[in-house]
Amino acid sequence: MLLDVLVLAAGKGTRMRSDLPKVLHCLAGKSLLGHVFSSVQALDNAAINTIVGHGKELIQEAFANQSLNWIDQTSQLGTAHAVLQAIPALRDDAKVLIVYGDVPLIKSSTLEKMLSGVDDDAMALLTVELVDPTGYGRILRNTAGDVTGIIEQKDAAPEQLKITEVNTGVMAMTAADLKTWLPKIDNNNAQQEYYLTDVIGLARAAGRHINTYAPEAVEEVEGVNSRAQLVALERYYQGQIAQNLLASGVTIIDPSRFDCRGELDPGQDVLIDINCIFEGNNRLGNGVVIGPNCVIKDATIGDNVTIKANTVIEGPVTLEDDVQVGPFARLRPNTVLGRGAKVGNFVETKKAKIGPGSKISHLSYIGDAVLGSEVNIGAGTITCNYDGVNKHLTEINDGAFIGSNTSLVAPVTVGKNATVGAGSTISREVPDESLAIARAKQRSLDGWKRPEKK
Ligand code: UD1
Ligand code: CA
């Protein structure tokens, strides 16, 4: 059967106290709505419709690169009113799944389970037992255990408030049923809102069975209404990622001090020390060791690479096998370090291809550069790549030795096995196997007397 998904995201999110629409706030580097989309996009044959109101332009802009169907709800008169706006978009022979844009951790496996409980005779409802059910709609059941309705907190009698099984808001039914029931819902309740939860009574009246399902974990159905709830869910989610990595053979020294805000695909026997942050897409080979306080984004890292403390990688960056980086190194986009290369402390690289076995051990800037193999760059070497208008290339060939405190004024080439004397400013080609020295000659004045104090 076809599946029409409705994502409700028109609400304001007042309690976030933010200019950003609530569903665009990020959890693990991805917007709340982005998480929901990922879950529903994994379902078979799903057409996704998102109901938007507050912050609509910003939300649509954030997902401009995806083909999604947006539906306007210009005033927010309740969850049933939100769904009503989507009626024209629903296909008659589809199942409809309703989820909330601010419930980010809902799993597609849970949704699939629910959808299996929808047919012409039944609808499905996701409920959960909460120790503190305050604020949620309570699930009403008869003595036979069948669901008979949902009562909102503000409409509930004292004994109903004691019920701990609550409505998660996630439900599914046939489009035919939803289309029949929705227009019948009124707003005669404490909040004068059109409650989607009223479909339960209508489903009962139509003789439908209400199949209920529970998520694997409560956090799957927790909504984000405040920043406190957002960071609590973030910690839960990070904990899950860390546990999965531990199970896959990665040592994370302290799972409570680990953050993955993207993808991390590790080999075996990887060790990650405390306070590391991974962003974007990262692939780590076997035996990779990452020291504390590293920030790593979009890196492809080979086997047995060591990244020492406080290194920042802003990819795309590729580190081949046996590379060593850091401590305190900064590798910027389009850095490629060949096998066994070494980049040490206070070195910045950008758009730099560095050949196998080459070393830049300390205090250097290497940008717009191509280095061959076994090149040695002395401390304080700078590629002067920018003339104020354009960027130029520095080329240093195999086996070259660049003395400390050298400025390489690009475009410039240093030949194979050439040597540059310390303190040189190199602005012309250095031929293969030669020595270039470009610095003021030293003078010594004999018997020099220091000035005396007057
Ligand atoms: C709703 C449920 C409640 C459930 C709870 C779970 C109803 C009447 N109540 O209550 O039973 O326990 O969720 O979190 O459905 N929205 C719109 N347009 C609107 C109103 C809401 O798009 O006019 C969206 C909001 O952006 C949000 C979602 O619907 O994503 C839920 O709305 P909210 O007002 O938070 O519902 P609750 O009162 O929490
Ligand atoms: Ca809510």
Side-chain angles (χ1 to χ4, degrees):
M1 216 171 176
L2 300 169
L3 175 61
D4 286 336
V5 179
L6 301 183
V7 183
L8 270 53
K12 192 163 184 199
T14 315
R15 279 175 285 166
M16 294 299 281
R17 295 178 183 274
S18 175
D19 286 338
L20 194 66
K22 176 166 76 176
V23 293
L24 292 186
H25 280 259
C26 280
L27 185 146
K30 182 156 137 183
S31 70
L32 300 178
L33 193 52
H35 281 275
V36 176
F37 285 157
S38 298
S39 290
V40 295
Q41 275 160 350
L43 302 170
D44 287 340
N45 296 320
I48 298 159
N49 305 280
T50 307
I51 292 123
V52 283
H54 283 283
K56 174 187 141 183
E57 288 76 17
L58 286 173
I59 295 170
Q60 289 176 339
E61 199 182 298
F63 295 95
N65 59 349
Q66 296 191 30
S67 69
L68 292 158
N69 188 30
W70 303 99
I71 294 167
D72 286 337
Q73 186 195 21
T74 41
S75 50
Q76 283 68 52
L77 306 179
T79 45
H81 180 261
V83 173
L84 192 63
Q85 313 308 305
I87 289 291
L90 300 179
R91 294 167 294 183
D92 281 324
D93 47 351
K95 289 182 188 180
V96 181
L97 171 68
I98 298 163
V99 295
Y100 291 171
D102 60 356
V103 180
L105 300 186
I106 188 75
K107 281 191 176 164
S108 23
S109 53
T110 301
L111 298 174
E112 267 161 13
K113 201 166 65 179
M114 279 184 69
L115 286 165
S116 69
V118 176
D119 57 33
D120 290 340
D121 299 317
M123 66 166 286
L125 185 66
L126 191 66
T127 74
V128 71
E129 288 283 347
L130 292 183
V131 181
D132 177 12
T134 310
Y136 286 87
R138 310 298 206 279
I139 305 294
L140 307 177
R141 290 180 186 266
N142 62 19
T143 46
D146 298 329
V147 175
T148 56
I150 300 173
I151 185 90
E152 291 303 298
Q153 165 97 19
K154 287 183 177 148
D155 301 292
E159 64 275 18
Q160 291 172 322
L161 289 175
K162 289 181 195 148
I163 298 169
T164 52
E165 187 188 7
V166 305
N167 174 30
T168 63
V170 182
M171 55 176 83
M173 64 285 281
T174 64
D177 277 346
L178 187 62
K179 285 183 181 184
T180 322
W181 300 335
L182 266 188
K184 298 183 182 163
I185 294 175
D186 62 27
N187 65 349
N188 295 327
N189 52 54
Q191 305 187 82
Q192 302 205 327
E193 277 184 16
Y194 295 88
Y195 288 168
L196 182 60
T197 45
D198 286 355
V199 298
I200 303 298
L202 293 160
R204 292 277 298 175
R208 301 285 181 271
H209 187 73
I210 294 142
N211 290 318
T212 58
Y213 299 84
E216 276 169 49
V218 183
E219 289 83 356
E220 244 190 271
V221 294
E222 278 181 1
V224 172
N225 298 302
S226 64
R227 291 180 197 253
Q229 287 173 331
L230 178 61
V231 297
L233 267 195
E234 171 92 34
R235 280 341 305 161
Y236 165 79
Y237 188 66
Q238 293 299 342
Q240 296 284 102
I241 298 175
Q243 291 306 322
N244 289 340
L245 288 167
L246 288 167
S248 76
V250 176
T251 296
I252 294 175
I253 296 285
D254 182 355
S256 72
R257 287 180 289 173
F258 164 83
D259 284 87
C260 180
R261 302 173 188 160
E263 305 296 326
L264 181 57
D265 174 15
Q268 271 200 349
D269 297 307
V270 166
L271 185 142
I272 300 173
D273 213 326
I274 59 167
N275 292 333
C276 289
I277 299 175
F278 293 87
E279 297 172 6
N281 286 306
N282 297 287
R283 158 91 196 127
L284 310 182
N286 297 326
V288 169
V289 176
I290 301 177
N293 309 319
C294 292
V295 181
I296 298 179
K297 182 182 181 195
D298 294 325
T300 304
I301 298 177
D303 293 342
N304 303 313
V305 167
T306 299
I307 298 173
K308 293 180 184 161
N310 302 298
T311 291
V312 177
I313 297 180
E314 301 155 45
V317 160
T318 300
L319 308 182
E320 292 175 4
D321 296 351
D322 306 315
V323 157
Q324 283 190 48
V325 180
F328 296 99
R330 181 179 181 207
L331 308 183
R332 292 173 50 207
N334 302 311
T335 294
V336 178
L337 301 189
R339 190 184 187 112
K342 195 174 162 230
V343 167
N345 45 233
F346 308 110
V347 171
E348 175 182 343
T349 63
K350 188 217 73 175
K351 219 176 185 184
K353 190 169 180 336
I354 291 155
S358 289
K359 292 186 177 65
I360 313 168
S361 295
H362 355 247
L363 300 161
S364 292
Y365 171 65
I366 302 296
D368 298 293
V370 178
L371 275 62
S373 59
E374 305 294 337
V375 168
N376 195 308
I377 303 283
T381 296
I382 304 291
T383 52
C384 309
N385 58 330
Y386 187 50
D387 60 14
V389 183
N390 294 305
K391 301 278 171 68
H392 301 282
L393 184 73
T394 299
E395 207 182 313
I396 304 174
N397 287 287
D398 297 351
F401 181 98
I402 310 295
S404 297
N405 204 29
T406 293
S407 300
L408 297 157
V409 183
V412 73
T413 301
V414 177
K416 251 187 183 174
N417 298 319
T419 303
V420 172
S424 292
T425 297
I426 299 296
S427 51
R428 274 181 289 162
E429 184 183 342
V430 179
D432 291 355
E433 319 282 341
S434 69
L435 167 66
I437 307 176
R439 63 188 182 220
K441 269 217 169 81
Q442 183 172 332
R443 285 194 303 158
S444 298
L445 305 183
D446 288 341
W448 168 252
K449 293 267 182 316
R450 290 181 192 158
E452 277 167 27
K453 191 152 186 160
K454 280 181 190 153

